[in-house]
Amino acid sequence: MWKKAIEDAVQKTRANIERYGDLFPHVSDKGKYQLNPNTDWTDGFWSGMLWLCYEYTGDDAFRQAARRTVESFRQRLDNNVSLDHHDIGFLYSLSSKAQWIVEKDESARKLTLEAADALMKRWRPKSQLIQAWGPEGDPNNGGRIIIDCMMNLPLLYWAYEQTGNEKYRDVAVIHAEKSRRFLVRGDDSSYHTFYFDQETGDSLRGGTHQGYRDGSTWTRGQAWGIYGFALSYRYTGDKAYMETSKRLARYFLKRLPEDHVVYWDFDVPVNADTYRDSSASAITSAGLLELLSLLPADDGDRAYLEEGLNRSMKGLVEKYATTGEPNAEGLLNHGSYHIRGGLAPDDHVIWGDYYYLEALVRMDKGITGYWYERK
Ligand code: GLY
């Protein structure tokens, strides 16, 4: 089952190289990906897919296309194009860091370290957090953290490993700890975002941007937390992060619907028209593979997490993948971006495609993504 799914995914990615040229896919509209010239927060995912396909197949066409994306990321950083946000971690982990991991290309390593410095500019010393969105001092976003940022921290942990400069690790750990304390709730659900006073750092309140309501649990946010806290555990060895990843995972898996792929929010009323978010299930699957790789062999949660992984991937492959649609551009149907904002509520989303592919190639050949150095 996995092999057929991977072959289809690789073939579609190959066809998309020509279709996209120098542009980058973001989310689809009526089945066609909207393209941009490397100006969005999502552009690293396309680069990451090309590197994964290269590693899986060894086909140089993927490598050449992946290298071209890294060149584009170099220009983006040199010209400071659309980098005033925390998603620099997604962008450069999957492009230049991937190239470094795959090819040991020194200029890619240097570029990734420059990207880590750009991410450090989002650090706000007064409130002791990495600001996700907007300019410094922004009345709404200046003191706001979001759970998605857990997946941007690996760029900083990696920069610490590479340089020995503790500032990267210290910022990442303070931010991870704040996220653990304030974004994760006592019942193992999560806030999408949390506000702090910009001057004093006092905690103010939880909220949401893309979820159903302020106190609900946005499924993709929960998924970013599962994978992100597992990675913080990998880098720091702090067991609290492993426990947090597990808690979030148990909450997620307990609420899988009959076809094993989640709706867009765990608290949204469900009827026949309720949108799914296949990308949340894809991120969770990739995150569970990471979490499982870190657990001791006799861990009491292993069987439950493995079963959840298999159910999620089976659901995606059998009912959500575009395997039977040879002309489809995306790999997964029924992703959602920002439902209340009216953006791509039921479409292909490039991060869903990336994590689905990452999970598949990891299950089949043990190829991990590009979040950390391979030993
Ligand atoms: N990180 C933005 C999102 O998940 O939509």
Side-chain angles (χ1 to χ4, degrees), residues 41 87 90 148 210 218 220 224 337 351:
W41 72 273
D87 291 317
F90 282 118
D148 323 28
Q210 280 148 284
W218 179 49
R220 190 157 74 252
W224 291 135
Y337 181 21
W351 58 92

Side-chain angles (χ1 to χ4, degrees), residues 293-367:
S293 77
L294 297 164
L295 294 183
D298 60 351
D299 189 277
D301 284 309
R302 179 172 281 284
Y304 180 69
L305 297 173
E306 275 170 357
E307 193 214 335
L309 168 65
N310 282 329
R311 286 173 64 197
S312 298
M313 283 307 286
K314 194 164 170 320
L316 289 173
V317 168
E318 288 182 348
K319 296 228 177 72
Y320 289 76
T322 56
T323 316
E325 304 168 45
N327 296 323
E329 277 188 38
L331 306 186
L332 286 181
N333 290 317
H334 307 305
S336 59
Y337 181 21
H338 185 6
I339 288 180
R340 287 184 309 119
L343 298 175
D346 187 22
D347 291 281
H348 306 309
V349 295
I350 195 64
W351 58 92
D353 289 358
Y354 170 81
Y355 285 98
Y356 172 66
L357 185 62
E358 186 192 289
L360 283 173
V361 300
R362 187 166 185 169
M363 287 194 304
D364 192 49
K365 284 199 183 171
I367 299 168

